[in-house]
Amino acid sequence: MENITIRPIRKEDNPVLAKIVKDTLAEFGANHPNTVYFDPSTDTLYEVFQAPRSYYFVAEVNGEMVGGGGIYPTDGLPADTCELVKMYLLPHARGLGLGRTLIEKCIQWAKDAGYKQIYLESMPELKNALKVYEKFGFDYLPGPMGNSGHTGCSLWMLRKI
């Protein structure tokens, strides 16, 4: 039986989370320029998520940090819209329902924070994640919203809360 914990991000999580994000992108061949792979903020996620109206959930299995996901008020988005960001899981943590749990927690947190919509950016290489987002009611958009700076992402989705 897996012992699963979902908790808020802590400063000491930064190096492990940065490695999870980068290793996952590399695993799927999605470590492109102008993505979070090369974004310096990926190394300081705790500090990033100190911004007002943002939150990051860390997932642990049997005491090992295996991924996470968060909500962020990305520049240029409407005030009632946040972005689902940094949603990554290590290979051995997939298939346990953690992705679903993290997304559910992010949606609930965003709703409680007063957001009305959740936006996300992704890439075609992340096929399994895209299927999960579709199941959660995210619809594809014809172009990006806001100014994430991640022009390496070529798919954009939006979900009303």
Side-chain angles (χ1 to χ4, degrees), residues 1-7 58-67 89-90 92-94 96-98:
M1 182 82 170
E2 306 289 352
N3 180 10
I4 295 173
T5 305
I6 307 291
R7 62 167 175 80
V58 171
E60 293 179 335
V61 175
N62 300 326
E64 175 197 6
M65 196 181 326
V66 296
L89 288 171
L90 291 175
H92 64 278
R94 298 178 200 145
L96 302 174
L98 276 174

Short mmCIF file of all heavy atoms in Angstrom, two decimals, residues 1-7 58-67 89-90 92-94 96-98:
data_model
loop_
_atom_site.label_atom_id
_atom_site.label_comp_id
_atom_site.label_asym_id
_atom_site.label_seq_id
_atom_site.Cartn_x
_atom_site.Cartn_y
_atom_site.Cartn_z
N MET A 1 0.85 -1.20 0.00
CA MET A 1 0.00 0.00 0.00
C MET A 1 0.89 1.25 0.00
O MET A 1 1.80 1.36 0.82
CB MET A 1 -0.88 -0.02 1.26
CG MET A 1 -1.82 1.12 1.36
SD MET A 1 -3.28 0.79 0.38
CE MET A 1 -4.30 2.11 0.89
N GLU A 2 0.60 2.15 -0.93
CA GLU A 2 1.37 3.38 -1.03
C GLU A 2 0.88 4.39 0.01
O GLU A 2 -0.32 4.55 0.20
CB GLU A 2 1.21 4.00 -2.42
CG GLU A 2 1.54 3.09 -3.58
CD GLU A 2 3.01 2.79 -3.72
OE1 GLU A 2 3.82 3.39 -3.01
OE2 GLU A 2 3.34 1.92 -4.53
N ASN A 3 1.80 5.07 0.67
CA ASN A 3 1.46 6.14 1.60
C ASN A 3 1.62 7.45 0.83
O ASN A 3 2.74 7.90 0.58
CB ASN A 3 2.37 6.08 2.82
CG ASN A 3 2.05 7.17 3.81
OD1 ASN A 3 1.04 7.85 3.70
ND2 ASN A 3 2.93 7.36 4.78
N ILE A 4 0.49 8.05 0.43
CA ILE A 4 0.50 9.26 -0.40
C ILE A 4 0.19 10.48 0.45
O ILE A 4 -0.75 10.49 1.24
CB ILE A 4 -0.53 9.13 -1.55
CG1 ILE A 4 -0.09 7.98 -2.48
CG2 ILE A 4 -0.68 10.44 -2.30
CD1 ILE A 4 -1.10 7.64 -3.54
N THR A 5 1.03 11.51 0.28
CA THR A 5 0.85 12.78 0.98
C THR A 5 0.84 13.91 -0.05
O THR A 5 1.69 13.92 -0.95
CB THR A 5 2.03 13.02 1.97
OG1 THR A 5 2.12 11.91 2.84
CG2 THR A 5 1.84 14.29 2.76
N ILE A 6 -0.10 14.83 0.10
CA ILE A 6 -0.12 16.05 -0.70
C ILE A 6 0.05 17.19 0.29
O ILE A 6 -0.72 17.31 1.25
CB ILE A 6 -1.44 16.22 -1.48
CG1 ILE A 6 -1.78 14.98 -2.30
CG2 ILE A 6 -1.39 17.49 -2.34
CD1 ILE A 6 -0.89 14.72 -3.48
N ARG A 7 1.06 18.03 0.08
CA ARG A 7 1.37 19.10 1.03
C ARG A 7 1.80 20.36 0.29
O ARG A 7 2.12 20.32 -0.90
CB ARG A 7 2.47 18.63 1.98
CG ARG A 7 3.78 18.31 1.26
CD ARG A 7 4.92 18.16 2.23
NE ARG A 7 6.15 17.76 1.59
CZ ARG A 7 6.98 18.58 0.95
NH1 ARG A 7 6.71 19.86 0.82
NH2 ARG A 7 8.10 18.12 0.42
N VAL A 58 2.79 19.71 -3.41
CA VAL A 58 3.84 18.72 -3.61
C VAL A 58 3.24 17.35 -3.28
O VAL A 58 2.54 17.19 -2.28
CB VAL A 58 5.05 19.01 -2.70
CG1 VAL A 58 6.05 17.87 -2.72
CG2 VAL A 58 5.72 20.31 -3.13
N ALA A 59 3.55 16.37 -4.14
CA ALA A 59 3.09 14.99 -3.92
C ALA A 59 4.27 14.15 -3.44
O ALA A 59 5.36 14.21 -4.01
CB ALA A 59 2.52 14.41 -5.21
N GLU A 60 4.00 13.36 -2.40
CA GLU A 60 5.00 12.43 -1.88
C GLU A 60 4.39 11.03 -1.84
O GLU A 60 3.21 10.87 -1.53
CB GLU A 60 5.43 12.80 -0.46
CG GLU A 60 6.19 14.09 -0.37
CD GLU A 60 6.58 14.44 1.06
OE1 GLU A 60 5.91 13.99 2.01
OE2 GLU A 60 7.56 15.18 1.22
N VAL A 61 5.20 10.04 -2.17
CA VAL A 61 4.81 8.64 -2.04
C VAL A 61 5.83 7.97 -1.13
O VAL A 61 7.03 8.00 -1.43
CB VAL A 61 4.74 7.94 -3.42
CG1 VAL A 61 4.44 6.45 -3.24
CG2 VAL A 61 3.68 8.59 -4.31
N ASN A 62 5.35 7.44 -0.04
CA ASN A 62 6.23 6.79 0.94
C ASN A 62 7.39 7.69 1.35
O ASN A 62 8.53 7.25 1.46
CB ASN A 62 6.73 5.44 0.41
CG ASN A 62 5.60 4.49 0.13
OD1 ASN A 62 4.58 4.49 0.82
ND2 ASN A 62 5.75 3.67 -0.90
N GLY A 63 7.09 8.99 1.51
CA GLY A 63 8.10 9.95 1.95
C GLY A 63 9.01 10.50 0.87
O GLY A 63 9.82 11.38 1.13
N GLU A 64 8.86 10.01 -0.37
CA GLU A 64 9.69 10.50 -1.49
C GLU A 64 8.89 11.52 -2.29
O GLU A 64 7.75 11.27 -2.69
CB GLU A 64 10.06 9.34 -2.41
CG GLU A 64 10.81 9.80 -3.66
CD GLU A 64 10.84 8.77 -4.78
OE1 GLU A 64 10.19 7.72 -4.67
OE2 GLU A 64 11.51 9.06 -5.79
N MET A 65 9.51 12.69 -2.54
CA MET A 65 8.87 13.70 -3.38
C MET A 65 8.83 13.18 -4.82
O MET A 65 9.87 12.82 -5.37
CB MET A 65 9.65 15.01 -3.30
CG MET A 65 8.88 16.19 -3.81
SD MET A 65 9.83 17.73 -3.75
CE MET A 65 10.84 17.55 -2.31
N VAL A 66 7.62 13.11 -5.41
CA VAL A 66 7.48 12.53 -6.74
C VAL A 66 6.88 13.50 -7.77
O VAL A 66 6.73 13.14 -8.93
CB VAL A 66 6.63 11.23 -6.70
CG1 VAL A 66 7.35 10.15 -5.89
CG2 VAL A 66 5.23 11.50 -6.16
N GLY A 67 6.54 14.72 -7.34
CA GLY A 67 6.00 15.68 -8.28
C GLY A 67 5.14 16.71 -7.61
O GLY A 67 5.19 16.88 -6.39
N LEU A 89 4.97 14.58 -12.71
CA LEU A 89 5.12 13.41 -11.85
C LEU A 89 6.23 12.51 -12.38
O LEU A 89 6.35 12.33 -13.59
CB LEU A 89 3.83 12.59 -11.79
CG LEU A 89 2.67 13.19 -11.01
CD1 LEU A 89 1.41 12.36 -11.24
CD2 LEU A 89 2.99 13.28 -9.53
N LEU A 90 7.01 11.94 -11.48
CA LEU A 90 8.02 10.96 -11.88
C LEU A 90 7.35 9.71 -12.44
O LEU A 90 6.21 9.38 -12.06
CB LEU A 90 8.88 10.59 -10.67
CG LEU A 90 9.81 11.68 -10.15
CD1 LEU A 90 10.51 11.21 -8.87
CD2 LEU A 90 10.84 12.07 -11.20
N HIS A 92 7.52 6.48 -11.91
CA HIS A 92 7.01 5.47 -10.99
C HIS A 92 5.83 5.95 -10.14
O HIS A 92 5.20 5.17 -9.44
CB HIS A 92 8.13 4.90 -10.10
CG HIS A 92 8.76 5.91 -9.19
ND1 HIS A 92 9.74 6.77 -9.60
CD2 HIS A 92 8.53 6.19 -7.89
CE1 HIS A 92 10.10 7.54 -8.60
NE2 HIS A 92 9.38 7.21 -7.54
N ALA A 93 5.51 7.26 -10.22
CA ALA A 93 4.37 7.80 -9.48
C ALA A 93 3.14 7.95 -10.35
O ALA A 93 2.08 8.34 -9.86
CB ALA A 93 4.76 9.16 -8.88
N ARG A 94 3.27 7.65 -11.63
CA ARG A 94 2.12 7.74 -12.53
C ARG A 94 1.26 6.49 -12.40
O ARG A 94 1.75 5.42 -12.09
CB ARG A 94 2.60 7.92 -13.97
CG ARG A 94 3.38 9.21 -14.13
CD ARG A 94 3.93 9.40 -15.53
NE ARG A 94 5.02 10.38 -15.46
CZ ARG A 94 6.10 10.34 -16.21
NH1 ARG A 94 6.26 9.39 -17.12
NH2 ARG A 94 7.04 11.26 -16.07
N LEU A 96 -1.10 6.12 -10.19
CA LEU A 96 -1.58 5.99 -8.82
C LEU A 96 -2.75 6.92 -8.52
O LEU A 96 -3.25 6.96 -7.41
CB LEU A 96 -0.45 6.30 -7.82
CG LEU A 96 0.82 5.47 -7.91
CD1 LEU A 96 1.89 6.00 -6.95
CD2 LEU A 96 0.51 4.00 -7.62
N GLY A 97 -3.15 7.71 -9.53
CA GLY A 97 -4.21 8.69 -9.32
C GLY A 97 -3.71 10.02 -8.80
O GLY A 97 -4.51 10.90 -8.49
N LEU A 98 -2.39 10.17 -8.72
CA LEU A 98 -1.82 11.42 -8.19
C LEU A 98 -2.09 12.61 -9.10
O LEU A 98 -2.36 13.71 -8.61
CB LEU A 98 -0.32 11.28 -7.98
CG LEU A 98 0.11 10.64 -6.68
CD1 LEU A 98 1.62 10.42 -6.67
CD2 LEU A 98 -0.29 11.50 -5.51
#
